[in-house]
Amino acid sequence: MFHIPSTVRRPLAVAGAAVVGLAAAVVLGQAPASAHHPEVSGTATCVDGKWQVAWEVANSEQDLAGDIVSATFDPTFESDTIKAGATLPAFAGDASLLKATQTLDANVTKASLSVEAHWKRGRKDHSATRGATVNIPKGGCRTSKPAVAFTDDCAGQVTVVVSNGSEATGRLRYKVLVGDKEITKGIVEIGKSSEPFVVPASEDETPVKVVVTSRDKVIGEHTWEGPEGGCEPEVAVDQTCDDLSISVTNPPEGLEFEVVFTPSTGEPQTMKVEKGKTATVTFPASDGLTVTPSIGGEDLDPIAWTKPEGCDEDTPTLPLTGANTGAIAGSAGGLLVLGGAVFYVARRRRLRFTA
């Protein structure tokens, strides 16, 4: 029998254990890479003396959507897309990514995002947390150039903020113009910003155009377009054999106003429409029922109740909450008009209320 000297056996045993361990690491190490997890990334760019991070969150899974359990930004930032409760779509390219843009001051040097997500695959729950940290672009984002920020509201107004560059050589004198008319003027110190100034909506309801100049040179101009989330409320009608319900959903930046709904039979009802909320009024159904909305005494197109199919049968019928083509077709065009009319009439009359 061939005997391996003891002086050689020990090194060989150690080497063998190392090989086994390496093989196990290769096999087992693949599991975390394919495990369920969010993939977080961010890209930094300089913008007008500040910087922005374009955050993206992807799903590691191509066949299963997940849920965002928590999303923590540092510095603090509220996102409409990357947030707790949001769905993380199964990965299918760029369109499936959750995206958000965070704007930071030039004195902030880094930003981070941590995302915890959850998946349910069969009977098993999977959770994982991933994050990313992004640094300000190399060299910083200070600028000597002035900048102007414009913010639209649903009343047709534009809020203007003028900023002087952090590396400017002197104070910034500026004027805010609408057409040829000077609305206001001011001075901004180096590295500072002006107080917000609100340019009122135009009297003829055309979008107001704002121009900001410094030493007769245009440094910013903007025409009112409305907030990104839109301003027109959504109007929905739910018709059953017993009721006609009308709901108005106001966008987060929408105008606050009151609508009076007057039925052809019965008492009028007043709806208070608040920002970012849905309000509903309900009327008992009857043959020939119409409900006319009005704002500030100005009537809009009436909404008619159409009896759903099956209401005359002896057997009980379920309430109609889905699409009823026959019942809704007659008022669909009116609903499209009503949403826009509610917004434009409310904007013109500047109606607001305190709940």
Side-chain angles (χ1 to χ4, degrees):
M1 180 182 292
F2 177 75
H3 294 278
I4 301 175
S6 60
T7 56
V8 178
R9 282 202 304 269
R10 183 173 180 81
L12 286 178
V14 173
V19 170
V20 173
L22 178 61
V26 170
V27 173
L28 298 177
Q30 293 175 351
S34 60
H36 304 68
H37 63 273
E39 298 178 350
V40 183
S41 62
T43 304
T45 55
C46 292
V47 179
D48 297 330
K50 297 186 177 184
W51 63 294
Q52 292 181 337
V53 181
W55 294 108
E56 294 182 348
V57 179
N59 191 339
S60 64
E61 308 305 298
Q62 298 183 12
D63 63 337
L64 181 66
D67 297 310
I68 301 296
V69 177
S70 66
T72 305
F73 292 87
D74 185 17
T76 301
F77 172 66
E78 295 293 333
S79 170
D80 293 332
T81 51
I82 305 174
K83 61 180 180 179
T87 298
L88 183 58
F91 182 76
D94 186 74
S96 65
L97 303 180
L98 297 183
K99 300 181 180 182
T101 301
Q102 182 179 12
T103 301
L104 302 130
D105 291 329
N107 59 350
V108 177
T109 59
K110 64 180 180 179
S112 64
L113 168 61
S114 176
V115 176
E116 180 184 358
H118 168 265
W119 291 260
K120 182 76 172 181
R121 187 179 290 278
R123 296 182 178 181
K124 292 186 177 181
D125 290 295
H126 301 268
S127 296
T129 301
R130 295 289 188 277
T133 298
V134 178
N135 294 318
I136 191 171
K138 188 176 181 179
C141 291
R142 297 184 180 277
T143 178
S144 61
K145 297 180 180 180
V148 184
F150 301 96
T151 305
D152 297 342
D153 69 12
C154 288
Q157 304 175 136
V158 178
T159 299
V160 181
V161 176
V162 182
S163 300
N164 197 1
S166 57
E167 296 184 355
T169 58
R171 299 190 301 172
L172 175 69
R173 298 179 182 272
Y174 70 90
K175 295 180 181 179
V176 178
L177 310 172
V178 174
D180 297 329
K181 183 180 179 182
E182 179 183 308
I183 303 299
T184 189
K185 61 182 179 180
I187 299 175
V188 184
E189 301 294 334
I190 297 174
K192 302 294 184 179
S193 298
S194 69
E195 291 295 326
F197 177 80
V198 178
V199 177
S202 59
E203 293 296 331
D204 59 2
E205 297 180 31
T206 59
V208 63
K209 181 177 180 179
V210 184
V211 177
V212 180
T213 65
S214 178
R215 302 181 186 278
D216 296 327
K217 180 181 179 180
V218 175
I219 60 174
E221 56 185 334
H222 173 77
T223 300
W224 182 90
E225 297 178 346
E228 291 184 5
C231 291
E232 295 186 10
E234 295 181 1
V235 181
V237 170
D238 183 19
Q239 307 204 46
T240 70
C241 296
D242 301 316
D243 299 305
L244 168 63
S245 296
I246 304 168
S247 299
V248 178
T249 300
N250 211 6
E253 300 298 328
L255 295 174
E256 296 186 342
F257 55 91
E258 291 185 353
V259 185
V260 177
F261 292 91
T262 303
S264 54
T265 301
E267 295 297 321
Q269 296 187 39
T270 299
M271 173 191 291
K272 293 183 177 181
V273 184
E274 301 182 62
K275 294 181 179 180
K277 295 185 178 181
T278 298
T280 303
V281 292
T282 301
F283 298 91
S286 62
D287 291 336
L289 173 67
T290 60
V291 178
T292 301
S294 64
I295 300 178
E298 183 169 341
D299 290 343
L300 306 177
D301 292 339
I303 298 172
W305 176 77
T306 303
K307 182 183 295 185
E309 295 180 2
C311 289
D312 294 328
E313 298 177 3
D314 294 335
T315 56
T317 59
L318 294 174
L320 180 68
T321 57
N324 179 13
T325 305
I328 297 177
S331 59
L335 291 180
L336 294 174
V337 173
L338 178 59
V342 164
F343 163 61
Y344 285 111
V345 173
R347 176 184 162 188
R348 182 169 67 250
R349 294 181 177 276
R350 303 289 192 273
L351 291 181
R352 296 179 180 273
F353 70 91
T354 302

